[in-house]
Amino acid sequence: MRLGSLIKGVGVLFLGGIIGIVSAQWSVEKTATAMTAGGGPWKSWFSGTTSIRNPYVNAHYLMFGRLPPTLGQELLFEARYDDEGAALDASCDYVIEGPRLTARWWHLALADEDNSQPAAISLTSSQLIGEPDGSMRITISRQPKAGNWINPRDLSRFELVLKLRPGSGLNAGAAVVTLPHIRREACT
Amino acid sequence: MRAWLFWLAVALVIGAVTHLSYVLIAPSFAMQRLMVGESEDAPVNRFVLLDAAAQMRLLGETENEAVSAKCVFDIGDGELSIAAEMPDTFWSLTLYSNKGADLYTINDRQAGIDRFKLTVKRAPDLSDILSSEQSENARALSDGWSVEVPEPRGIAVFWMALDYPEQRKLFTDILSRSACTFTASQNALP
């Protein structure tokens, strides 16, 4: 009888813990808003117009080992899917293209799918080679490509993290930023 | 039937506690880990230049992309003076609380100068600070800036962009002239 109660107690504890963690992760995920001027797969947990006061938003950044973006200095966008809605997969080539970002400094990084560790795979605005028409085009591929090329190395599935630093100190809203498209090309 | 309802209720209560812990408590521990990095005994109220690994952990940026430094602070019984020397480039200085809230931030264009002193003090009344905007907390003084923050513990993050990797040595040399100096309040002195 006692053993039965003990097993039941442990089971309930386990079940409660799972319910709590899953519901918290779901709530954190739900606080993100699709924020691009032209639609697309980019999401932001930070509006850019007011300081972060929502604990779910704060948890999103800190639980994945990132400092939350600061008001007036930074905007942070994340994408786990391409324009067609398929998960980003390092065995495929992707082209990220669109108008050149207007931020004073920006940083595009590939993060591990579980997002727990920042990957040292990135490109910044100062490294970008602009297209003749003024737009930008970045290729993610395991094979060397001409122009702006990011090698996903040993990542399998990944997430794109785009950090913009407008530099003006003004509270630019995340919703008005035009972000690049993520187009999938060939997969191996 | 009643017993099942009881155990279900217990599971839901545990779930609610876990949910709140995940959202409210766990991020504070995560922020602590970000603040101190790998070392358990990270220096407090001292300026520390970040090496490549520490910068990647804190900011997710490589040594070819940016130069950064930190000052983990605890101004529970005094105030902190940050003497910043920044190179002539795009830089920012941001103060976070130990819960991850941004307390104060400034960049090169807002500051207008690359060498300044920022005094960080504990806000006298927590409710006043919480109900006011950041811009109201920062007041320009004749010898630099002064900011009153609602949280006694946190981290100041110095960041500057690199246009090309070769700038790192020069920018690091300039930034390393910065300092964080803690002064105990009169009440705290023996």
Side-chain angles (χ1 to χ4, degrees), chain A residues 15 48 52 82 94 104 110 125-126 138 140 146 178:
Chain A
L15 178 68
I52 294 171
D82 62 20
Y94 293 92
R104 197 170 160 202
L110 272 63
S125 47
S126 53
I138 301 162
I140 299 171
T178 303

Coordinates of all heavy atoms in Angstrom, one line a residue, chain A residues 15 48 52 82 94 104 110 125-126 138 140 146 178:
Chain A
L15 N 4.4 14.0 -13.5 CA 3.4 14.6 -14.4 C 3.2 16.1 -14.3 O 3.2 16.8 -15.3 CB 2.0 13.8 -14.2 CG 0.9 14.3 -15.0 CD1 1.1 13.9 -16.5 CD2 -0.5 13.7 -14.5
G48 N 10.7 46.4 -29.6 CA 11.6 47.4 -29.9 C 11.1 48.8 -29.5 O 11.9 49.8 -29.6
I52 N 11.6 45.4 -22.1 CA 11.0 44.1 -21.9 C 10.5 44.1 -20.4 O 11.3 44.2 -19.5 CB 12.0 43.0 -22.2 CG1 12.3 43.0 -23.7 CG2 11.5 41.7 -21.7 CD1 13.4 42.1 -24.0
D82 N 12.0 28.4 -43.6 CA 12.2 29.2 -44.8 C 10.9 29.9 -45.2 O 9.9 29.8 -44.5 CB 12.8 28.4 -45.9 CG 11.9 27.2 -46.3 OD1 10.7 27.3 -46.1 OD2 12.4 26.3 -46.9
Y94 N 20.5 27.6 -48.9 CA 19.5 28.7 -48.7 C 20.1 30.0 -49.2 O 21.3 30.2 -49.1 CB 19.1 28.9 -47.2 CG 18.4 27.7 -46.7 CD1 19.1 26.7 -46.0 CD2 17.0 27.6 -46.8 CE1 18.4 25.6 -45.5 CE2 16.3 26.5 -46.3 CZ 17.0 25.5 -45.6 OH 16.4 24.4 -45.1
R104 N 22.8 50.4 -38.6 CA 24.2 50.8 -38.6 C 25.2 49.6 -38.5 O 26.3 49.6 -39.0 CB 24.4 51.7 -37.4 CG 25.7 52.6 -37.5 CD 25.7 53.6 -36.4 NE 27.0 54.1 -36.1 CZ 27.3 54.7 -35.0 NH1 26.4 54.8 -34.0 NH2 28.5 55.1 -34.8
L110 N 24.0 31.7 -37.3 CA 23.3 30.4 -37.3 C 23.5 29.8 -35.9 O 24.6 29.7 -35.4 CB 24.0 29.4 -38.3 CG 23.5 29.5 -39.8 CD1 23.8 30.8 -40.4 CD2 24.1 28.4 -40.6
S125 N 27.5 43.1 -40.9 CA 27.4 44.1 -41.9 C 28.7 44.6 -42.5 O 28.8 44.9 -43.7 CB 26.6 45.3 -41.4 OG 27.2 45.7 -40.2
S126 N 29.7 44.6 -41.7 CA 31.0 45.1 -42.2 C 31.7 44.1 -43.1 O 32.6 44.4 -43.9 CB 32.0 45.5 -41.1 OG 32.0 44.4 -40.2
I138 N 22.9 36.5 -49.4 CA 23.8 35.7 -48.6 C 23.5 34.2 -48.9 O 22.3 33.9 -48.8 CB 23.7 36.0 -47.1 CG1 24.0 37.5 -46.8 CG2 24.6 35.1 -46.3 CD1 23.5 38.0 -45.5
I140 N 23.8 30.2 -47.7 CA 24.1 29.3 -46.7 C 24.3 27.9 -47.4 O 23.3 27.4 -47.9 CB 23.1 29.2 -45.6 CG1 22.9 30.6 -44.9 CG2 23.4 28.1 -44.5 CD1 21.8 30.7 -43.9
A146 N 30.2 31.7 -54.3 CA 30.8 33.1 -54.6 C 30.0 34.1 -53.8 O 28.8 33.9 -53.5 CB 30.7 33.4 -56.1
T178 N 12.1 46.0 -42.7 CA 12.0 45.0 -43.8 C 13.1 44.0 -43.8 O 14.3 44.4 -43.8 CB 12.0 45.8 -45.2 OG1 11.0 46.8 -45.1 CG2 11.8 44.9 -46.3

